[in-house]
Amino acid sequence: MFSDVMEDYLKAIYVLQAETGPPVSTSAIAEYLDKTPPTVTSMIGKLEDHSLVDREKYKGVELTTEGETVALEVIRHHRLLETYLTEHLDYSWSEVHEEADRLEHHISEEFEKRVAAALDYPEVDPHGDPIPGADLAPLEDDDSARLTEFEPSDHVVVSRVSDRDDEELAYLEDAGIVPGTELEITAVAPFGMITIKTPSGTEQSLPESVARSVRVTPVVDAEQ
């Protein structure tokens, strides 16, 4: 058994590895978890002592096989809980992240199995993030890219939205920018503002910081 804090670090490292590849720097972990670099360095030492990470001096850390398995179990709990809260307890997708953070460390394997069954074994959570399987096999890379990587006149479909910022999620939900929604990029300003059109014909201008949290896939042969 590992502490809640240790599991939080392993989950963060897994997510960051998926985004940028290993090794993950101390500064990136500190920013993700809103911790000071010395605090992160201290915890990395503890994770290394438990053979959960490999550390490369001046470069960062990478999860070991055991560390990855622990991270995947926590992520599975988190994303199943987010899904259950939205589908059965009427939570908004902008409200579930913190609730799932509090609960993910404390549910039993039996509870996890019953939640998965009650949800009919979902493959993604409300934000479009894949839910690890019960076998905790590593998640496969998807073919999505950040919204900021596309150009005017491109048509894309929202596949995933980062759940790290509740205010951003509420804003995106109000704007109709949710997984499965097709968008047309109508303008990209030099200073980073991206304007998109939703299926209702409504245009929304997103700051680059918000647009970066939206992952999309291109629509092939979309009508221009």
Side-chain angles (χ1 to χ4, degrees):
M1 295 293 293
F2 304 108
S3 70
D4 296 358
V5 175
M6 293 172 75
E7 291 182 348
D8 284 340
Y9 272 79
L10 294 172
K11 181 176 69 171
I13 294 168
Y14 186 95
V15 171
L16 292 168
Q17 278 188 184
E19 291 180 353
T20 63
V24 178
S25 69
T26 299
S27 59
I29 300 170
E31 181 178 1
Y32 186 95
L33 293 173
D34 194 23
K35 305 290 185 182
T36 65
T39 298
V40 173
T41 299
S42 175
M43 178 54 69
I44 286 174
K46 294 179 182 179
L47 297 176
E48 191 174 28
D49 289 343
H50 284 83
S51 301
L52 297 170
V53 299
D54 288 326
R55 175 163 46 178
E56 188 172 355
K57 195 172 183 180
Y58 304 121
K59 291 189 177 181
V61 298
E62 181 176 358
L63 294 175
T64 62
T65 299
E66 183 180 0
E68 185 176 78
T69 299
V70 175
L72 283 165
E73 183 171 29
V74 178
I75 290 169
R76 175 171 169 78
H77 289 176
H78 183 95
R79 293 177 181 174
L80 282 172
L81 287 164
E82 287 189 330
T83 307
Y84 188 84
L85 289 167
T86 54
E87 293 192 10
H88 289 274
L89 298 182
D90 296 325
Y91 276 74
S92 164
W93 76 337
S94 62
E95 299 174 319
V96 295
H97 182 71
E98 289 188 7
E99 291 283 8
D101 269 347
R102 285 189 283 268
L103 295 169
E104 65 192 12
H105 306 289
H106 308 295
I107 66 173
S108 67
E109 296 311 299
E110 180 61 26
F111 184 85
E112 175 205 304
K113 291 177 184 177
R114 294 193 182 202
V115 169
L119 294 168
D120 196 22
Y121 307 100
E123 295 184 356
V124 297
D125 72 7
H127 311 104
D129 289 321
I131 299 174
D135 61 357
L136 302 180
L139 296 170
E140 296 182 2
D141 295 335
D142 64 20
D143 58 356
S144 67
R146 297 184 190 277
L147 182 59
T148 51
E149 297 178 33
F150 291 84
E151 303 292 337
S153 79
D154 284 346
H155 290 246
V156 297
V157 174
V158 178
S159 58
R160 303 168 65 176
V161 177
S162 172
D163 64 357
R164 297 181 202 172
D165 189 308
D166 293 346
E167 291 185 1
E168 282 186 7
L169 282 171
Y171 173 79
L172 291 170
E173 185 174 29
D174 288 343
I177 303 172
V178 298
T181 303
E182 183 174 334
L183 307 173
E184 178 187 355
I185 299 171
T186 59
V188 178
F191 48 84
M193 192 72 74
I194 296 175
T195 303
I196 54 90
K197 182 186 295 184
T198 64
S200 66
T202 302
E203 287 196 335
Q204 299 282 343
S205 292
L206 306 177
E208 184 177 11
S209 60
V210 175
R212 282 181 56 81
S213 72
V214 180
R215 297 192 70 88
V216 299
T217 55
V219 175
V220 179
D221 297 328
E223 293 183 7
Q224 302 297 319

PDB file of all heavy atoms in Angstrom, residues 49-62:
ATOM      1  N   ASP A  49      12.925   5.110  -3.802  1.00  0.00           N
ATOM      2  CA  ASP A  49      13.228   4.125  -2.764  1.00  0.00           C
ATOM      3  C   ASP A  49      12.290   2.921  -2.848  1.00  0.00           C
ATOM      4  O   ASP A  49      12.670   1.801  -2.473  1.00  0.00           O
ATOM      5  CB  ASP A  49      13.119   4.754  -1.376  1.00  0.00           C
ATOM      6  CG  ASP A  49      14.247   5.731  -1.085  1.00  0.00           C
ATOM      7  OD1 ASP A  49      15.273   5.687  -1.794  1.00  0.00           O
ATOM      8  OD2 ASP A  49      14.087   6.562  -0.161  1.00  0.00           O
ATOM      9  N   HIS A  50      11.059   3.144  -3.327  1.00  0.00           N
ATOM     10  CA  HIS A  50      10.079   2.061  -3.468  1.00  0.00           C
ATOM     11  C   HIS A  50      10.111   1.434  -4.869  1.00  0.00           C
ATOM     12  O   HIS A  50       9.223   0.649  -5.218  1.00  0.00           O
ATOM     13  CB  HIS A  50       8.671   2.590  -3.182  1.00  0.00           C
ATOM     14  CG  HIS A  50       8.377   2.810  -1.728  1.00  0.00           C
ATOM     15  ND1 HIS A  50       8.757   3.956  -1.058  1.00  0.00           N
ATOM     16  CD2 HIS A  50       7.754   2.023  -0.811  1.00  0.00           C
ATOM     17  CE1 HIS A  50       8.359   3.884   0.203  1.00  0.00           C
ATOM     18  NE2 HIS A  50       7.760   2.712   0.380  1.00  0.00           N
ATOM     19  N   SER A  51      11.110   1.807  -5.658  1.00  0.00           N
ATOM     20  CA  SER A  51      11.258   1.265  -7.032  1.00  0.00           C
ATOM     21  C   SER A  51      10.060   1.572  -7.916  1.00  0.00           C
ATOM     22  O   SER A  51       9.695   0.788  -8.792  1.00  0.00           O
ATOM     23  CB  SER A  51      11.500  -0.255  -6.977  1.00  0.00           C
ATOM     24  OG  SER A  51      12.661  -0.562  -6.240  1.00  0.00           O
ATOM     25  N   LEU A  52       9.458   2.738  -7.693  1.00  0.00           N
ATOM     26  CA  LEU A  52       8.297   3.149  -8.488  1.00  0.00           C
ATOM     27  C   LEU A  52       8.686   4.070  -9.642  1.00  0.00           C
ATOM     28  O   LEU A  52       7.926   4.216 -10.603  1.00  0.00           O
ATOM     29  CB  LEU A  52       7.277   3.849  -7.591  1.00  0.00           C
ATOM     30  CG  LEU A  52       6.686   2.961  -6.476  1.00  0.00           C
ATOM     31  CD1 LEU A  52       5.880   3.808  -5.502  1.00  0.00           C
ATOM     32  CD2 LEU A  52       5.819   1.862  -7.076  1.00  0.00           C
ATOM     33  N   VAL A  53       9.852   4.698  -9.536  1.00  0.00           N
ATOM     34  CA  VAL A  53      10.363   5.552 -10.611  1.00  0.00           C
ATOM     35  C   VAL A  53      11.853   5.323 -10.772  1.00  0.00           C
ATOM     36  O   VAL A  53      12.538   4.896  -9.827  1.00  0.00           O
ATOM     37  CB  VAL A  53      10.104   7.065 -10.348  1.00  0.00           C
ATOM     38  CG1 VAL A  53       8.623   7.364 -10.239  1.00  0.00           C
ATOM     39  CG2 VAL A  53      10.857   7.536  -9.106  1.00  0.00           C
ATOM     40  N   ASP A  54      12.328   5.589 -11.965  1.00  0.00           N
ATOM     41  CA  ASP A  54      13.764   5.666 -12.233  1.00  0.00           C
ATOM     42  C   ASP A  54      14.095   7.131 -12.453  1.00  0.00           C
ATOM     43  O   ASP A  54      13.409   7.821 -13.226  1.00  0.00           O
ATOM     44  CB  ASP A  54      14.138   4.856 -13.476  1.00  0.00           C
ATOM     45  CG  ASP A  54      14.054   3.361 -13.233  1.00  0.00           C
ATOM     46  OD1 ASP A  54      14.347   2.923 -12.104  1.00  0.00           O
ATOM     47  OD2 ASP A  54      13.674   2.628 -14.167  1.00  0.00           O
ATOM     48  N   ARG A  55      15.128   7.608 -11.788  1.00  0.00           N
ATOM     49  CA  ARG A  55      15.499   9.019 -11.900  1.00  0.00           C
ATOM     50  C   ARG A  55      16.816   9.149 -12.654  1.00  0.00           C
ATOM     51  O   ARG A  55      17.770   8.437 -12.387  1.00  0.00           O
ATOM     52  CB  ARG A  55      15.616   9.646 -10.520  1.00  0.00           C
ATOM     53  CG  ARG A  55      16.118  11.081 -10.540  1.00  0.00           C
ATOM     54  CD  ARG A  55      15.856  11.837  -9.265  1.00  0.00           C
ATOM     55  NE  ARG A  55      16.184  11.106  -8.066  1.00  0.00           N
ATOM     56  CZ  ARG A  55      16.065  11.630  -6.826  1.00  0.00           C
ATOM     57  NH1 ARG A  55      15.619  12.856  -6.673  1.00  0.00           N
ATOM     58  NH2 ARG A  55      16.383  10.918  -5.769  1.00  0.00           N
ATOM     59  N   GLU A  56      16.817  10.082 -13.603  1.00  0.00           N
ATOM     60  CA  GLU A  56      18.035  10.399 -14.348  1.00  0.00           C
ATOM     61  C   GLU A  56      18.442  11.816 -13.985  1.00  0.00           C
ATOM     62  O   GLU A  56      17.693  12.770 -14.218  1.00  0.00           O
ATOM     63  CB  GLU A  56      17.799  10.275 -15.852  1.00  0.00           C
ATOM     64  CG  GLU A  56      19.061  10.391 -16.675  1.00  0.00           C
ATOM     65  CD  GLU A  56      18.822  10.083 -18.144  1.00  0.00           C
ATOM     66  OE1 GLU A  56      17.698   9.692 -18.505  1.00  0.00           O
ATOM     67  OE2 GLU A  56      19.773  10.250 -18.924  1.00  0.00           O
ATOM     68  N   LYS A  57      19.590  11.960 -13.395  1.00  0.00           N
ATOM     69  CA  LYS A  57      20.029  13.243 -12.871  1.00  0.00           C
ATOM     70  C   LYS A  57      19.987  14.326 -13.941  1.00  0.00           C
ATOM     71  O   LYS A  57      20.421  14.116 -15.074  1.00  0.00           O
ATOM     72  CB  LYS A  57      21.454  13.113 -12.311  1.00  0.00           C
ATOM     73  CG  LYS A  57      21.872  14.280 -11.426  1.00  0.00           C
ATOM     74  CD  LYS A  57      23.206  13.997 -10.755  1.00  0.00           C
ATOM     75  CE  LYS A  57      23.600  15.114  -9.808  1.00  0.00           C
ATOM     76  NZ  LYS A  57      24.898  14.849  -9.152  1.00  0.00           N
ATOM     77  N   TYR A  58      19.440  15.489 -13.565  1.00  0.00           N
ATOM     78  CA  TYR A  58      19.317  16.681 -14.416  1.00  0.00           C
ATOM     79  C   TYR A  58      18.302  16.511 -15.554  1.00  0.00           C
ATOM     80  O   TYR A  58      18.106  17.441 -16.336  1.00  0.00           O
ATOM     81  CB  TYR A  58      20.669  17.100 -14.999  1.00  0.00           C
ATOM     82  CG  TYR A  58      21.733  17.339 -13.965  1.00  0.00           C
ATOM     83  CD1 TYR A  58      22.913  16.616 -13.983  1.00  0.00           C
ATOM     84  CD2 TYR A  58      21.541  18.277 -12.946  1.00  0.00           C
ATOM     85  CE1 TYR A  58      23.901  16.828 -13.020  1.00  0.00           C
ATOM     86  CE2 TYR A  58      22.508  18.490 -11.979  1.00  0.00           C
ATOM     87  CZ  TYR A  58      23.684  17.769 -12.018  1.00  0.00           C
ATOM     88  OH  TYR A  58      24.650  17.977 -11.051  1.00  0.00           O
ATOM     89  N   LYS A  59      17.659  15.356 -15.671  1.00  0.00           N
ATOM     90  CA  LYS A  59      16.702  15.157 -16.757  1.00  0.00           C
ATOM     91  C   LYS A  59      15.281  14.916 -16.245  1.00  0.00           C
ATOM     92  O   LYS A  59      14.338  15.484 -16.762  1.00  0.00           O
ATOM     93  CB  LYS A  59      17.150  14.003 -17.653  1.00  0.00           C
ATOM     94  CG  LYS A  59      18.393  14.333 -18.459  1.00  0.00           C
ATOM     95  CD  LYS A  59      18.688  13.253 -19.500  1.00  0.00           C
ATOM     96  CE  LYS A  59      19.891  13.644 -20.353  1.00  0.00           C
ATOM     97  NZ  LYS A  59      20.185  12.601 -21.387  1.00  0.00           N
ATOM     98  N   GLY A  60      15.136  14.070 -15.254  1.00  0.00           N
ATOM     99  CA  GLY A  60      13.805  13.824 -14.732  1.00  0.00           C
ATOM    100  C   GLY A  60      13.594  12.379 -14.368  1.00  0.00           C
ATOM    101  O   GLY A  60      14.545  11.625 -14.140  1.00  0.00           O
ATOM    102  N   VAL A  61      12.317  11.978 -14.314  1.00  0.00           N
ATOM    103  CA  VAL A  61      11.965  10.634 -13.863  1.00  0.00           C
ATOM    104  C   VAL A  61      11.094   9.931 -14.891  1.00  0.00           C
ATOM    105  O   VAL A  61      10.433  10.558 -15.726  1.00  0.00           O
ATOM    106  CB  VAL A  61      11.228  10.670 -12.516  1.00  0.00           C
ATOM    107  CG1 VAL A  61      12.107  11.264 -11.433  1.00  0.00           C
ATOM    108  CG2 VAL A  61       9.919  11.436 -12.629  1.00  0.00           C
ATOM    109  N   GLU A  62      11.091   8.612 -14.783  1.00  0.00           N
ATOM    110  CA  GLU A  62      10.233   7.763 -15.602  1.00  0.00           C
ATOM    111  C   GLU A  62       9.674   6.679 -14.709  1.00  0.00           C
ATOM    112  O   GLU A  62      10.367   6.141 -13.845  1.00  0.00           O
ATOM    113  CB  GLU A  62      11.031   7.157 -16.754  1.00  0.00           C
ATOM    114  CG  GLU A  62      10.213   6.265 -17.670  1.00  0.00           C
ATOM    115  CD  GLU A  62      11.014   5.772 -18.859  1.00  0.00           C
ATOM    116  OE1 GLU A  62      12.194   6.170 -18.983  1.00  0.00           O
ATOM    117  OE2 GLU A  62      10.460   4.997 -19.661  1.00  0.00           O
TER     118      GLU A  62
END
